[in-house]
Amino acid sequence: MQRAVSMVAHLGLRLQALPSALGRPLSCAQDVLRRTPLYDFHLAHGGKMVAYAGWSLPVQYRDSHVASHLHTRRHCSLFDVSHMLQTKILGCDRVKLMESLVVGDIAELRPNQGTLSLFTNEAGGILDDLIVTSTSEGYLYVVSNAGCWDKDLALMQGKVRELQNMGSDVSLEVVDNGLLALQGPTAAQVLQAGVADDLRKLPFMTSAVMEVFGVSGCRVTRCGYTGEDGVEISVPAAGAVHLATALLENPEVKLAGLAARDSLRLEAGLCLYGSDIDEHTTPVEGSLSWTLGKRRRTAMDFPGASVILPQLKGKVQRRRVGLMCEGAPMRAHSPILNMEGTMIGTVTSGCPSPCLKKNVAMGYVPCEYSRPGTPLLVEVRRKQQMAVVSKMPFVTTNYYTLK
């Protein structure tokens, strides 16, 4: 997702040549872009705005991309992710609806527990990745990607109408809230000062509604996209600036943009939809088999099950792997070759790792080349350089779980 002028030096990119996944500099089309509740706040704090998924978002602030990245790993950073689609699925048949669209076991979720899941099609392709939380308030809270906003909404609304026509009790509501991600090892300490709830009782992938720094009706979910401990806070739009301002009063907190978000998620081995996974990728190919619920596997009742389940037994041609290399950074679309120089795959995303001081990437290779430690070649700027298949995450994750 990313870019901006000083980030260019760090990532070795020319601004005009950045991949579309990272956003693009604003132009005369700026007026048609959607704005989050924090748009003016970003400008006031030196945010360098770019177009991303139809929204105007900060790619970075006054600090360099690398400085923001490292601050997140060592302290905590505040990201505006209000461009994500937030929805509520209501009614007695809400689980039936969601399980007709995703691969996960939604029925088994405990109150206020969430899970990463995947929308799939009948060919087994991934339509989007999303987080589904079964709330104690009696609805499913769903967060999915901004780049798939129209597609996801049409998919869910279409299924709502279909089930309603069959007499089912289900409805959908778009949540018009801001969404702030506070990420890093000191995130919980910072947030605890502004909430009455004991955050030690809120482990990874659970959520609760609470007042946060005086803003009532916030849903706080222990999750994020960086590999660090942290939360995402769904906040009423009118209170978003107040909440962001209150969080920034703590010197532990700095603003971070799309550039740091992208390199952080890559170090954590997390996929970016549209780059690392898409409609032509199955969960097994994408190394996301763990999202397939055990009960759902047995029932074979999710879209694409007849294609996806046989792949679990090894009938898959390619897999997503991690790669490390020295020399020039690997970028999306860089060819991956075997040691004989035959092209066997493609890099889907890559960047220099600020923490490891090495170049990391993800890509797809045939299964016989997917074992960690396998030596390969990557073509960068028409030159071949050595690479090795690596375990992911590249940087150890620090999610908070109850001991």
Side-chain angles (χ1 to χ4, degrees):
M1 303 173 191
Q2 307 22 27
R3 77 157 77 54
V5 178
S6 62
M7 166 194 160
V8 174
H10 292 294
L11 299 192
L13 298 174
R14 289 193 301 271
L15 192 56
Q16 296 83 358
L18 286 167
S20 59
L22 305 189
R24 55 184 174 75
L26 296 182
S27 65
C28 58
Q30 180 173 353
D31 290 342
V32 305
L33 295 173
R34 300 183 67 179
R35 296 178 176 181
T36 78
L38 293 172
Y39 176 81
D40 291 331
F41 178 87
H42 295 314
L43 294 179
H45 286 80
K48 298 177 176 67
M49 310 302 284
V50 298
Y52 177 73
W55 293 77
S56 178
L57 294 169
V59 68
Q60 70 177 71
Y61 295 85
R62 295 185 179 97
D63 289 340
S64 72
H65 152 251
V66 170
S68 289
H69 179 112
L70 295 175
H71 184 85
T72 309
R73 291 275 185 246
R74 296 165 182 165
H75 304 278
C76 67
S77 296
L78 184 64
F79 301 81
D80 180 9
V81 292
S82 304
H83 57 299
M84 306 285 278
L85 173 61
Q86 302 176 70
T87 51
K88 292 180 182 179
I89 310 294
L90 307 104
C92 296
D93 294 308
R94 59 189 180 276
V95 172
K96 176 182 177 181
L97 178 139
M98 190 52 57
E99 289 197 347
S100 73
L101 300 174
V102 303
V103 301
D105 191 341
I106 308 305
E108 76 170 2
L109 292 175
R110 299 184 299 275
N112 292 324
Q113 182 185 15
T115 186
L116 177 73
S117 198
L118 307 169
F119 287 132
T120 48
N121 59 27
E122 291 301 331
I126 300 171
L127 297 172
D128 198 9
D129 59 312
L130 63 155
I131 291 180
V132 183
T133 300
S134 181
T135 73
S136 58
E137 290 78 20
Y139 59 84
L140 299 178
Y141 170 60
V142 181
V143 180
S144 56
N145 286 303
C148 299
W149 182 297
D150 293 338
K151 178 175 69 173
D152 290 353
L153 198 52
L155 179 68
M156 290 186 286
Q157 288 175 333
K159 185 60 69 170
V160 165
R161 288 191 295 269
E162 178 185 324
L163 292 182
Q164 286 177 340
N165 290 338
M166 297 167 59
S168 295
D169 174 26
V170 67
S171 61
L172 179 148
E173 175 186 322
V174 175
V175 180
D176 190 25
N177 277 7
L179 191 63
L180 300 180
L182 185 66
Q183 297 285 295
T186 60
Q189 168 196 319
V190 168
L191 189 64
Q192 189 64 74
V195 301
D197 299 57
D198 185 354
L199 296 178
R200 291 174 297 181
K201 298 178 180 178
L202 192 74
F204 182 60
M205 293 307 289
T206 63
S207 79
V209 175
M210 62 186 76
E211 181 177 298
V212 184
F213 285 99
V215 182
S216 59
C218 294
R219 176 168 291 282
V220 176
T221 305
R222 199 81 174 247
C223 69
Y225 194 50
T226 63
E228 296 296 333
D229 183 24
V231 295
E232 290 185 353
I233 308 168
S234 180
V235 53
V241 171
H242 171 85
L243 178 53
T245 301
L247 290 167
L248 275 182
E249 287 179 1
N250 190 314
E252 281 291 308
V253 184
K254 289 190 176 184
L255 290 167
L258 292 172
R261 185 170 163 85
D262 193 55
S263 54
L264 288 160
R265 68 91 190 169
L266 187 49
E267 283 187 343
L270 302 173
C271 295
L272 173 63
Y273 189 83
S275 294
D276 306 302
I277 50 175
D278 58 27
E279 294 184 22
H280 305 292
T281 311
T282 71
V284 181
E285 291 173 331
S287 298
L288 295 168
S289 300
W290 59 270
T291 62
L292 306 171
K294 291 182 180 179
R295 175 178 59 83
R296 309 300 306 282
R297 298 184 192 197
T298 301
M300 295 187 67
D301 61 350
F302 56 85
S306 62
V307 175
I308 295 167
L309 293 176
Q311 294 182 347
L312 291 172
K313 300 182 174 70
K315 299 176 182 177
V316 63
Q317 299 301 309
R318 61 179 190 142
R319 287 190 184 275
R320 176 175 64 94
V321 298
L323 297 166
M324 276 193 188
C325 81
E326 306 290 341
M330 300 170 282
R331 299 297 179 192
H333 312 301
S334 295
I336 303 171
L337 307 94
N338 61 20
M339 295 305 290
E340 287 72 48
T342 302
M343 182 173 171
I344 59 169
T346 306
V347 171
T348 53
S349 58
C351 72
S353 163
C355 291
L356 301 177
K357 304 292 192 294
K358 294 181 180 180
N359 301 315
V360 298
M362 295 182 200
Y364 284 83
V365 298
C367 282
E368 59 264 34
Y369 296 97
S370 63
R371 183 183 294 274
T374 302
L376 295 171
L377 299 170
V378 178
E379 188 176 299
V380 181
R381 299 173 190 161
R382 300 184 181 179
K383 293 183 179 179
Q384 294 180 5
Q385 55 192 50
M386 289 293 300
V388 62
V389 175
S390 304
K391 289 183 178 180
M392 292 187 287
F394 300 104
V395 173
T396 303
T397 54
N398 294 300
Y399 304 124
Y400 174 72
T401 55
L402 296 178
K403 300 293 186 286

